[in-house]
Amino acid sequence: MKALVQRVSQAAVDVEGERVAQIGAGMLVLLGVKRGDTVEDVERLAAKVRALRIFDDAEGRMNEPLGEREVLCVSQFTLYGDARKGNRPSYVAAAPPEVAQPLYERFCGELGAKQGVFGARMAVELVNDGPVTLLLEA
């Protein structure tokens, strides 16, 4: 499981021109689920994301965890795209939707995250704060 975490001042996701979720200051998480991922992977990665100290403390240093800030999580199977051979990525490592969706929803639940629409074509807007972007793996 991979989580591309971005510290944002705001983020939103639209589906077919309609806003389905938005947040203020917090994290945008793009989540990829691979074949073989488990509930234990979800719990471990969600705990890591929650504990990441990427927000400024009183002295302006990145030393604060998520706390009461918001999270927007978007499913992102393309994080498991493999373009080592040729120019068209292969997505065989990504979990099939019937496996990925319940794990994605569990991850969102663990973080109390607002969600995109699983499997939909989404337009994601964000203002990356810093910028701060980290790739985490379980």
Side-chain angles (χ1 to χ4, degrees):
M1 186 169 291
K2 291 182 182 179
L4 184 68
V5 178
Q6 299 178 80
R7 184 177 76 181
V8 298
S9 57
Q10 63 186 31
V13 63
D14 297 343
V15 175
E16 296 181 4
E18 185 175 325
R19 177 86 11 119
V20 295
Q22 72 181 56
I23 63 167
M27 293 179 181
L28 171 66
V29 179
L30 304 178
L31 185 73
V33 180
K34 74 176 184 312
R35 294 178 185 276
D37 281 340
T38 65
V39 170
E40 291 78 21
D41 295 319
V42 168
E43 291 170 352
R44 189 169 43 254
L45 190 57
K48 180 73 170 181
V49 168
R50 189 179 313 103
L52 273 179
R53 294 173 16 182
I54 63 170
F55 296 95
D56 292 346
D57 64 14
E59 286 85 44
R61 293 187 310 223
M62 286 196 301
N63 202 29
E64 293 288 327
L66 181 63
E68 298 300 315
R69 295 171 189 90
E70 297 180 285
V71 178
L72 174 58
C73 187
V74 176
S75 61
Q76 189 75 50
F77 76 93
T78 60
L79 286 174
Y80 281 102
D82 183 356
R84 290 178 291 180
K85 295 181 181 178
N87 295 318
R88 182 174 184 199
S90 167
Y91 300 104
V92 297
E98 62 273 10
V99 172
Q101 186 170 6
L103 294 175
Y104 162 75
E105 290 175 0
R106 176 78 180 255
F107 181 87
C108 293
E110 293 280 326
L111 290 173
K114 294 184 179 177
Q115 301 178 38
V117 177
F118 187 90
R121 185 178 188 119
M122 294 173 271
V124 180
E125 293 180 20
L126 69 133
V127 177
N128 194 318
D129 180 21
V132 175
T133 303
L134 299 165
L135 180 60
L136 306 176
E137 291 190 67

